[in-house]
Amino acid sequence: MKVAVTGAAGQINYSLLFRIASGQLFGPDVKVHLSLLEINIEAAVKAMEGVAMELEDCAFATLDGYSLHTDPVKCFADADCVFLVGAKPRAKGMERKDLLKANAAIFSAQGNALAESASPDVKVLVVGNPANTNCLIAQRNAASLNPANFTAMTRLDQNRAITQIAQHTNKHASEIRNVIIWGNHSATQFPDIAHASVADALAADVVDDAWYRNEMIGKVQKRGAAIIESRGFSSAASAASAAIDHMRDWFNGTIDGQWVSMGVVSSGEYEITSGLVYSYPCTCNKGEWNIVSGLDIAPFAREMMKNTEDELIEERNDIATLLPI
Protein backbone atom coordinates (compact mmCIF):
# COMPACT_ATOMS: atom_id res chain seq x y z
CA MET A 1 0.00 0.00 0.00
CA LYS A 2 1.26 3.45 -0.85
CA VAL A 3 0.36 5.93 1.88
CA ALA A 4 0.90 9.65 1.28
CA VAL A 5 1.04 12.02 4.23
CA THR A 6 1.32 15.82 4.18
CA GLY A 7 2.88 17.98 6.86
CA ALA A 8 5.38 15.19 7.44
CA ALA A 9 7.51 17.05 9.97
CA GLY A 10 4.59 18.22 12.09
CA GLN A 11 3.56 17.15 15.59
CA ILE A 12 0.68 14.87 14.59
CA ASN A 13 2.85 13.02 12.12
CA TYR A 14 5.50 12.41 14.74
CA SER A 15 2.97 9.93 16.14
CA LEU A 16 1.05 9.00 12.99
CA LEU A 17 3.92 7.99 10.70
CA PHE A 18 5.41 5.51 13.13
CA ARG A 19 2.05 3.88 13.79
CA ILE A 20 1.42 3.46 10.05
CA ALA A 21 4.93 2.13 9.48
CA SER A 22 4.62 -0.36 12.33
CA GLY A 23 1.56 -2.01 10.81
CA GLN A 24 -1.15 -0.53 13.02
CA LEU A 25 -3.14 0.69 10.03
CA PHE A 26 -3.22 -2.29 7.66
CA GLY A 27 -1.95 -5.08 9.88
CA PRO A 28 1.26 -7.10 10.13
CA ASP A 29 0.94 -8.77 6.72
CA VAL A 30 0.73 -5.61 4.60
CA LYS A 31 3.83 -3.65 3.69
CA VAL A 32 3.53 0.11 3.23
CA HIS A 33 5.49 2.70 1.33
CA LEU A 34 5.32 6.14 2.94
CA SER A 35 5.31 9.11 0.59
CA LEU A 36 5.93 12.23 2.66
CA LEU A 37 5.26 15.86 1.76
CA GLU A 38 6.53 19.09 3.29
CA ILE A 39 6.59 22.70 2.22
CA ASN A 40 9.61 23.74 0.19
CA ILE A 41 11.38 25.57 3.01
CA GLU A 42 14.82 24.41 4.10
CA ALA A 43 13.96 24.02 7.80
CA ALA A 44 10.84 21.98 7.03
CA VAL A 45 12.64 19.73 4.56
CA LYS A 46 15.49 19.10 7.00
CA ALA A 47 13.01 18.25 9.74
CA MET A 48 11.28 15.80 7.37
CA GLU A 49 14.65 14.22 6.62
CA GLY A 50 15.19 13.77 10.36
CA VAL A 51 11.84 12.02 10.71
CA ALA A 52 12.81 9.73 7.83
CA MET A 53 16.06 8.83 9.61
CA GLU A 54 14.05 7.80 12.66
CA LEU A 55 11.74 5.69 10.51
CA GLU A 56 14.83 3.91 9.19
CA ASP A 57 16.18 3.39 12.69
CA CYS A 58 12.97 1.65 13.81
CA ALA A 59 13.59 -1.18 11.30
CA PHE A 60 9.87 -1.83 10.95
CA ALA A 61 9.07 -5.15 9.27
CA THR A 62 6.05 -3.58 7.57
CA LEU A 63 7.78 -0.48 6.16
CA ASP A 64 8.74 -1.09 2.54
CA GLY A 65 10.54 2.19 1.99
CA TYR A 66 9.71 5.88 1.87
CA SER A 67 10.08 8.91 -0.40
CA LEU A 68 10.35 12.60 0.46
CA HIS A 69 8.67 15.33 -1.58
CA THR A 70 7.88 19.03 -1.81
CA ASP A 71 5.68 18.53 -4.92
CA PRO A 72 2.20 17.13 -4.13
CA VAL A 73 1.75 15.67 -7.62
CA LYS A 74 4.83 13.49 -7.12
CA CYS A 75 3.93 12.71 -3.53
CA PHE A 76 0.40 11.53 -4.39
CA ALA A 77 1.38 9.52 -7.48
CA ASP A 78 -0.51 6.18 -7.38
CA ALA A 79 -1.31 6.66 -3.68
CA ASP A 80 -3.92 4.30 -2.25
CA CYS A 81 -4.40 6.26 0.95
CA VAL A 82 -3.74 9.93 1.73
CA PHE A 83 -3.67 11.77 5.05
CA LEU A 84 -3.90 15.53 4.51
CA VAL A 85 -2.46 16.61 7.85
CA GLY A 86 -0.49 19.74 7.01
CA ALA A 87 -2.46 22.99 7.18
CA LYS A 88 -1.78 26.65 7.90
CA PRO A 89 -2.30 27.23 11.63
CA ARG A 90 -4.33 30.10 12.95
CA ALA A 91 -2.01 32.95 13.90
CA LYS A 92 -2.69 35.37 16.73
CA GLY A 93 -5.23 37.96 15.63
CA MET A 94 -6.18 36.03 12.47
CA GLU A 95 -9.87 35.95 11.62
CA ARG A 96 -11.39 32.55 10.85
CA LYS A 97 -12.28 33.83 7.37
CA ASP A 98 -8.61 34.65 6.72
CA LEU A 99 -7.58 31.21 7.94
CA LEU A 100 -10.06 29.59 5.57
CA LYS A 101 -8.73 31.57 2.61
CA ALA A 102 -5.11 30.79 3.49
CA ASN A 103 -5.88 27.09 3.62
CA ALA A 104 -7.91 27.24 0.42
CA ALA A 105 -4.70 27.83 -1.52
CA ILE A 106 -3.10 24.75 0.06
CA PHE A 107 -6.02 22.36 -0.28
CA SER A 108 -7.09 23.45 -3.76
CA ALA A 109 -3.57 22.65 -5.00
CA GLN A 110 -3.63 19.32 -3.21
CA GLY A 111 -7.06 18.49 -4.66
CA ASN A 112 -5.74 19.17 -8.16
CA ALA A 113 -2.68 17.03 -7.45
CA LEU A 114 -4.80 14.14 -6.18
CA ALA A 115 -6.91 14.21 -9.34
CA GLU A 116 -3.78 14.28 -11.48
CA SER A 117 -1.74 11.48 -9.96
CA ALA A 118 -3.42 9.47 -7.18
CA SER A 119 -5.13 6.12 -7.62
CA PRO A 120 -8.75 6.54 -8.83
CA ASP A 121 -9.86 4.67 -5.71
CA VAL A 122 -7.70 6.72 -3.34
CA LYS A 123 -9.08 7.25 0.16
CA VAL A 124 -8.41 10.76 1.45
CA LEU A 125 -8.69 11.81 5.10
CA VAL A 126 -8.39 15.52 5.90
CA VAL A 127 -6.98 16.07 9.39
CA GLY A 128 -5.65 19.62 9.04
CA ASN A 129 -8.07 22.21 10.43
CA PRO A 130 -10.57 23.59 9.64
CA ALA A 131 -10.94 19.98 8.50
CA ASN A 132 -14.48 19.95 7.09
CA THR A 133 -14.06 22.97 4.86
CA ASN A 134 -10.49 22.05 3.91
CA CYS A 135 -11.94 18.70 2.81
CA LEU A 136 -14.61 20.48 0.79
CA ILE A 137 -11.95 22.57 -0.95
CA ALA A 138 -9.81 19.54 -1.81
CA GLN A 139 -12.82 17.54 -3.02
CA ARG A 140 -14.18 20.31 -5.21
CA ASN A 141 -10.75 20.74 -6.83
CA ALA A 142 -10.54 17.02 -7.61
CA ALA A 143 -13.58 16.87 -9.87
CA SER A 144 -12.43 13.70 -11.65
CA LEU A 145 -12.47 11.73 -8.39
CA ASN A 146 -15.53 10.34 -6.65
CA PRO A 147 -16.66 12.75 -3.88
CA ALA A 148 -16.99 9.69 -1.64
CA ASN A 149 -13.18 9.38 -1.76
CA PHE A 150 -12.92 12.43 0.53
CA THR A 151 -13.58 12.49 4.27
CA ALA A 152 -12.85 14.80 7.19
CA MET A 153 -11.85 13.60 10.64
CA THR A 154 -14.35 13.80 13.48
CA ARG A 155 -13.29 10.48 14.98
CA LEU A 156 -11.21 12.34 17.56
CA ASP A 157 -14.36 14.07 18.76
CA GLN A 158 -16.17 10.74 18.93
CA ASN A 159 -13.33 9.21 20.93
CA ARG A 160 -13.42 12.17 23.30
CA ALA A 161 -17.18 11.78 23.78
CA ILE A 162 -16.84 8.04 24.43
CA THR A 163 -14.26 8.69 27.14
CA GLN A 164 -16.46 11.28 28.82
CA ILE A 165 -19.38 8.84 28.95
CA ALA A 166 -17.18 6.00 30.16
CA GLN A 167 -15.84 8.11 33.02
CA HIS A 168 -19.30 9.38 33.91
CA THR A 169 -20.81 5.88 34.07
CA ASN A 170 -17.76 4.06 35.50
CA LYS A 171 -17.60 1.82 32.42
CA HIS A 172 -14.77 1.02 30.02
CA ALA A 173 -14.57 2.90 26.74
CA SER A 174 -14.99 -0.40 24.87
CA GLU A 175 -18.49 -0.71 26.36
CA ILE A 176 -19.72 2.54 24.78
CA ARG A 177 -21.26 2.19 21.30
CA ASN A 178 -22.81 4.38 18.65
CA VAL A 179 -22.03 7.84 19.93
CA ILE A 180 -22.54 10.30 17.06
CA ILE A 181 -20.72 13.50 16.18
CA TRP A 182 -22.87 15.61 13.89
CA GLY A 183 -21.55 18.50 11.81
CA ASN A 184 -18.33 20.45 11.96
CA HIS A 185 -15.06 19.65 13.73
CA SER A 186 -15.36 22.85 15.73
CA ALA A 187 -16.97 24.25 18.85
CA THR A 188 -20.40 23.89 17.18
CA GLN A 189 -20.18 20.12 16.70
CA PHE A 190 -22.96 18.08 18.32
CA PRO A 191 -22.03 14.95 20.34
CA ASP A 192 -25.29 12.96 20.26
CA ILE A 193 -25.94 10.11 22.72
CA ALA A 194 -29.63 9.57 21.93
CA HIS A 195 -28.88 6.37 20.02
CA ALA A 196 -25.83 5.27 22.01
CA SER A 197 -25.53 2.38 24.44
CA VAL A 198 -23.49 1.86 27.61
CA ALA A 199 -22.79 -1.84 28.21
CA ASP A 200 -26.28 -3.37 27.83
CA ALA A 201 -28.23 -0.20 28.60
CA LEU A 202 -29.38 2.76 26.58
CA ALA A 203 -27.11 5.72 27.24
CA ALA A 204 -30.12 7.92 27.89
CA ASP A 205 -31.09 5.63 30.80
CA VAL A 206 -27.73 5.78 32.58
CA VAL A 207 -26.32 9.19 31.67
CA ASP A 208 -27.54 12.16 33.67
CA ASP A 209 -29.28 14.45 31.21
CA ALA A 210 -28.29 17.67 33.00
CA TRP A 211 -24.64 16.59 32.99
CA TYR A 212 -24.88 15.66 29.31
CA ARG A 213 -26.42 18.95 28.19
CA ASN A 214 -24.63 21.32 30.56
CA GLU A 215 -21.17 19.73 30.83
CA MET A 216 -20.36 16.94 28.42
CA ILE A 217 -21.35 18.61 25.17
CA GLY A 218 -19.28 21.70 25.94
CA LYS A 219 -16.34 19.65 27.20
CA VAL A 220 -16.17 17.68 23.95
CA GLN A 221 -16.63 20.82 21.84
CA LYS A 222 -13.80 22.63 23.65
CA ARG A 223 -11.49 19.71 24.41
CA GLY A 224 -8.91 20.81 21.87
CA ALA A 225 -8.68 24.25 23.43
CA ALA A 226 -8.35 22.69 26.88
CA ILE A 227 -5.41 20.60 25.71
CA ILE A 228 -3.69 23.65 24.22
CA GLU A 229 -4.23 25.51 27.50
CA SER A 230 -2.73 22.61 29.47
CA ARG A 231 0.26 21.52 27.39
CA GLY A 232 0.86 24.56 25.20
CA PHE A 233 0.36 22.60 21.99
CA SER A 234 -2.61 21.25 20.09
CA SER A 235 -3.69 17.60 20.17
CA ALA A 236 -1.13 15.38 18.46
CA ALA A 237 -0.98 11.78 19.70
CA SER A 238 -4.76 11.57 20.17
CA ALA A 239 -5.31 13.07 16.70
CA ALA A 240 -2.92 10.53 15.19
CA SER A 241 -4.72 7.70 16.97
CA ALA A 242 -8.10 8.90 15.69
CA ALA A 243 -6.73 9.16 12.14
CA ILE A 244 -5.60 5.52 12.34
CA ASP A 245 -9.02 4.51 13.70
CA HIS A 246 -10.81 6.37 10.90
CA MET A 247 -8.75 5.01 8.02
CA ARG A 248 -8.53 1.46 9.37
CA ASP A 249 -12.32 1.21 9.68
CA TRP A 250 -12.79 2.72 6.23
CA PHE A 251 -10.50 0.14 4.63
CA ASN A 252 -11.33 -2.89 6.75
CA GLY A 253 -14.94 -2.25 7.71
CA THR A 254 -16.58 -1.38 11.00
CA ILE A 255 -16.90 -4.15 13.58
CA ASP A 256 -20.27 -5.65 14.53
CA GLY A 257 -22.21 -2.87 12.86
CA GLN A 258 -20.81 -0.17 15.10
CA TRP A 259 -21.24 3.40 13.95
CA VAL A 260 -18.30 5.71 13.39
CA SER A 261 -18.41 9.46 12.87
CA MET A 262 -17.02 10.66 9.54
CA GLY A 263 -17.15 14.02 7.80
CA VAL A 264 -18.49 13.16 4.35
CA VAL A 265 -20.05 15.01 1.43
CA SER A 266 -23.74 15.43 2.21
CA SER A 267 -26.41 14.44 -0.30
CA GLY A 268 -29.13 15.97 1.84
CA GLU A 269 -29.35 13.22 4.46
CA TYR A 270 -31.19 14.33 7.62
CA GLU A 271 -32.16 17.59 5.86
CA ILE A 272 -28.55 18.83 5.81
CA THR A 273 -27.57 21.06 2.89
CA SER A 274 -26.19 19.02 0.00
CA GLY A 275 -22.54 19.47 -0.83
CA LEU A 276 -21.31 20.34 2.66
CA VAL A 277 -18.74 18.09 4.30
CA TYR A 278 -20.78 17.19 7.38
CA SER A 279 -20.11 14.61 10.06
CA TYR A 280 -22.62 11.76 10.08
CA PRO A 281 -22.84 8.35 11.75
CA CYS A 282 -21.51 5.83 9.25
CA THR A 283 -20.80 2.15 8.84
CA CYS A 284 -18.02 0.90 6.57
CA ASN A 285 -17.82 -2.25 4.46
CA LYS A 286 -15.43 -3.31 1.68
CA GLY A 287 -13.80 0.11 1.49
CA GLU A 288 -17.03 2.08 1.32
CA TRP A 289 -18.82 4.19 3.92
CA ASN A 290 -22.57 4.44 4.27
CA ILE A 291 -24.53 6.93 6.35
CA VAL A 292 -26.77 5.33 8.98
CA SER A 293 -30.32 6.09 7.90
CA GLY A 294 -33.72 6.29 9.55
CA LEU A 295 -32.71 7.73 12.93
CA ASP A 296 -35.32 9.68 14.87
CA ILE A 297 -34.09 13.20 15.55
CA ALA A 298 -35.50 14.97 18.61
CA PRO A 299 -36.10 18.76 18.56
CA PHE A 300 -33.03 19.46 20.75
CA ALA A 301 -30.82 17.43 18.43
CA ARG A 302 -32.31 19.07 15.35
CA GLU A 303 -31.48 22.50 16.73
CA MET A 304 -27.90 21.49 17.51
CA MET A 305 -27.48 19.91 14.08
CA LYS A 306 -28.77 23.08 12.44
CA ASN A 307 -26.34 25.27 14.40
CA THR A 308 -23.30 23.35 13.16
CA GLU A 309 -24.75 23.19 9.63
CA ASP A 310 -25.11 26.98 9.64
CA GLU A 311 -21.45 27.36 10.56
CA LEU A 312 -20.38 25.10 7.70
CA ILE A 313 -22.54 27.09 5.28
CA GLU A 314 -20.88 30.29 6.50
CA GLU A 315 -17.42 28.76 6.03
CA ARG A 316 -18.32 27.59 2.54
CA ASN A 317 -19.64 31.05 1.66
CA ASP A 318 -16.44 32.66 2.93
CA ILE A 319 -14.38 30.74 0.36
CA ALA A 320 -17.07 30.32 -2.34
CA THR A 321 -15.20 32.47 -4.87
CA LEU A 322 -12.21 30.13 -4.55
CA LEU A 323 -14.19 26.98 -5.36
CA PRO A 324 -14.46 25.68 -8.92
CA ILE A 325 -17.88 26.19 -10.51
Side-chain angles (χ1 to χ4, degrees):
M1 300 291 290
K2 182 173 182 178
V3 180
V5 187
T6 71
Q11 277 203 82
I12 292 174
N13 278 322
Y14 204 65
S15 292
L16 179 61
L17 294 176
F18 297 89
R19 295 188 64 170
I20 296 171
S22 67
Q24 292 183 46
L25 176 54
F26 297 114
D29 299 322
V30 178
K31 286 186 167 53
V32 297
H33 175 94
L34 286 173
S35 185
L36 308 182
L37 182 73
E38 259 300 349
I39 54 176
N40 193 15
I41 295 176
E42 183 179 1
V45 172
K46 285 187 70 63
M48 177 171 61
E49 290 171 349
V51 171
M53 291 179 200
E54 289 207 73
L55 284 167
E56 291 177 347
D57 293 347
C58 289
F60 290 124
T62 46
L63 181 60
D64 191 30
Y66 65 84
S67 53
L68 308 181
H69 304 277
T70 57
D71 180 351
V73 174
K74 293 178 179 178
C75 179
F76 300 153
D78 301 318
D80 303 294
C81 171
V82 176
F83 293 84
L84 298 183
V85 180
K88 184 176 180 62
R90 189 170 185 168
K92 185 176 181 180
M94 178 182 282
E95 296 291 334
R96 188 173 179 85
K97 182 184 296 187
D98 296 328
L99 178 66
L100 288 165
K101 290 181 178 179
N103 275 298
I106 298 169
F107 285 85
S108 58
Q110 291 180 352
N112 285 321
L114 286 162
E116 181 175 343
S117 66
S119 164
D121 298 320
V122 64
K123 291 175 172 53
V124 180
L125 172 59
V126 178
V127 177
N129 288 318
N132 293 59
T133 298
N134 285 344
C135 182
L136 173 67
I137 294 164
Q139 181 269 312
R140 289 283 296 274
N141 280 277
S144 63
L145 295 176
N146 186 342
N149 292 17
F150 290 81
T151 62
M153 190 173 82
T154 54
R155 186 62 170 270
L156 176 56
D157 307 302
Q158 180 180 318
N159 289 347
R160 289 167 169 168
I162 286 170
T163 295
Q164 292 300 316
I165 296 169
Q167 291 175 348
H168 177 71
T169 58
N170 292 316
K171 298 293 184 181
H172 192 272
S174 63
E175 298 178 275
I176 316 300
R177 292 172 58 101
N178 297 346
V179 175
I180 300 168
I181 302 296
W182 297 100
N184 199 5
H185 174 64
S186 74
T188 68
Q189 65 178 269
F190 174 43
D192 186 1
I193 68 168
H195 310 278
S197 62
V198 178
D200 296 323
L202 293 175
D205 292 339
V206 295
V207 172
D208 180 73
D209 189 61
W211 171 83
Y212 165 61
R213 294 191 183 214
N214 299 326
E215 293 187 40
M216 180 196 144
I217 291 175
K219 186 172 284 189
V220 174
Q221 290 173 332
K222 300 172 184 176
R223 184 69 164 186
I227 290 170
I228 292 172
E229 177 68 23
S230 182
R231 70 183 293 263
F233 299 97
S234 58
S235 307
S238 57
S241 184
I244 292 285
D245 291 342
H246 177 118
M247 197 67 83
R248 183 179 57 232
D249 285 342
W250 192 1
F251 269 93
N252 298 336
T254 44
I255 300 172
D256 298 330
Q258 289 195 51
W259 306 347
V260 292
S261 298
M262 302 173 69
V264 299
V265 179
S266 169
S267 296
E269 296 87 352
Y270 294 101
E271 303 178 22
I272 300 302
T273 302
S274 295
L276 296 178
V277 174
Y278 191 94
S279 181
Y280 287 99
C282 296
T283 58
C284 301
N285 185 42
K286 296 181 180 178
E288 297 183 356
W289 55 261
N290 291 283
I291 295 172
V292 176
S293 62
L295 298 178
D296 291 330
I297 306 297
F300 170 72
R302 178 64 64 190
E303 180 182 357
M304 298 293 286
M305 291 166 65
K306 182 67 166 58
N307 288 341
T308 193
E309 176 191 14
D310 288 345
E311 182 181 56
L312 283 168
I313 291 171
E314 182 180 355
E315 289 185 7
R316 183 195 61 188
N317 291 344
D318 284 341
I319 48 88
T321 57
L322 304 176
L323 294 174
I325 299 174

